[in-house]
Amino acid sequence: MKNRFKKLIVIPVLAVTIFFTGTAFQNDFFEIAKQIEIFTTLFKEINMNYVDETNPADLMDTAIKSMLKDLDPYTNFYNEQDVEAERIRRTGDYTGIGAKVRTLKDRLVIVEPYKEYPADKAGLKAGDEIIKVEDVVISTYKDDAGDLLKGTPNSSVEVTYLRQGKEYKTTIKRSEIEIDAVPHFSMINDKTGYIVLSAFNNKASLQTAYALKDLKAQGAQRIILDLRNNPGGLLHEAVNVVNLFVPKGQLVVTTKSKVKKYNRTYYTQKDPIDTEIPLVVLINGSSASASEIVSGSLQDLDRAVILGSRSFGKGLVQRPKPLTYGTQLKITISRYYTPSGRCIQALDYWNRDDDGNAVKIDSKEYHEFKTKNGRPVFDGGGVLPDETFEITKNSAITNAIVNDFLIFDYATDYYYKHPNVKDINEFELKDSDFKDFKTYLSTNNFSFITETEKALNSVYEQAKKEALDDNIKNDYNTLLSNLKNSKELALNENKEQILSLLTDEIVKRYVYREGLYDYYKIHNTEIKKATEILANPIKYRDYLR
């Protein structure tokens, strides 16, 4: 047992040696060495002397994650499996069943099967719950059950799944999966092209360039670039996408760090495709990171009209650092700044509230910057569109419904209750459907605890400790009743937004994601507005003056 601990101790010692080869740490040499020595001896004593058997790997995993939790949510430790998942996200290529899968304790839920990929060919649909893979029961499997679906190309795997309470079996033949950065592009009308850029993997700029050239060949004289729900990815791909629309040699983004070698300026390196074509970029609250570099820089350069709702606000840059035994640290190394000089980071992870949560940067602390044409833009809260659609910004109650997967589950039920939809492009949910959805929420015990309720409960609990609760009980119950009514009102006030999210999820069930983009071209409010702006050159130019 002692030999094992000798081996464990060697690793931190080696880490110390590597640590201090970087000049950035030399000033803190003693303090870092001291803390590592304390941790090493503590770790050894716990594993040698604790009353019950310990698992060193689990203890270390908890220690690492607890340490990183105090930094920001983007600085993460990756084990070998996580490193592979990150590679897939970066490249978009992997071998598997071709479906987005949600892992729960006792089942794997198919969130979205990709059209014409193995899961789809095997008959699996969104909402199907895989309970067994070959002879392995998911509920008793201790490791990541999602790994059971992976395997070599052309290998087969039998799965047992539940659909609407009934049990089925199917065999899936795995294949190589290539996830497109641009899942859709087409003409909206005879002069307007539409490009959906859903991720910034290493195909992003190449596929966007192809789509742009193809649409121009079809007669496109103006472009809508859709970055909604694009969480970001590779920074250099964001620079290359901007480069499609601006000249070579243009500053796109600057990164600034405490470590001088990470301070970079990124300029466009290639000849553009079209620097004049009118451009509208769509963003929302889930457009983050590289999406904000593209939208923010195009806004700063007065090269595009930005439309939608305020973006997520991630102005931090990460870099992977290889560790021992195939593990990896993805660490925040710098902040990025758009051409005007603004950083659009929205949350302050270094000054937290009493509950330890990151706080939003106060709008009073925003700084004003100027675009190329002198228009005012601000830092600190994501990219604010030139034309804002608040309906696209999810409210707290809407987020709670989405996070509980109630939109998803209702769409599953709706699909099987309405198997025959004649023309999906004419599909529209009605008031009766919204009423039915509210009943569905109630039936599924949806509970939304507001911050006001949390504060009220805290006050009441304190009153009980001080024996003052009898005096305020009636008032407390009245306030709770009023809050309940307010939540019902909030649900109704967000009716349009909720119906829009339900529609998106339901349409995908019938015609996949590809069909949803065609549906958007006819019905989506932001696309209609973008098309209208582009069709009016004077109005378009007015946004950029």
Side-chain angles (χ1 to χ4, degrees), residues 1 20 24 59 82 93 133 170 209 228 253 296 375 445 515 518 536:
M1 188 170 183
F20 301 125
L59 285 176
D82 295 331
D93 298 336
V133 178
T170 189
R228 291 175 297 177
V253 63
R375 295 186 298 140
N445 300 316
D518 286 325
N536 187 334

Side-chain angles (χ1 to χ4, degrees), residues 175-230:
S175 71
E176 292 183 355
I177 311 298
E178 182 177 335
I179 300 174
D180 288 327
V182 176
H184 178 92
F185 67 90
S186 62
M187 297 292 288
I188 290 177
N189 55 42
D190 61 343
K191 293 184 179 179
T192 308
Y194 175 55
I195 302 171
V196 179
L197 177 54
S198 63
F200 283 89
N201 59 30
N202 59 13
K203 305 181 186 75
S205 59
L206 186 66
Q207 292 186 351
T208 306
Y210 178 87
L212 180 59
K213 290 175 183 176
D214 190 284
L215 292 172
K216 282 170 63 71
Q218 293 183 51
Q221 298 176 21
R222 45 222 187 202
I223 294 293
I224 298 172
L225 178 63
D226 196 342
L227 297 180
R228 291 175 297 177
N229 303 312
N230 184 326

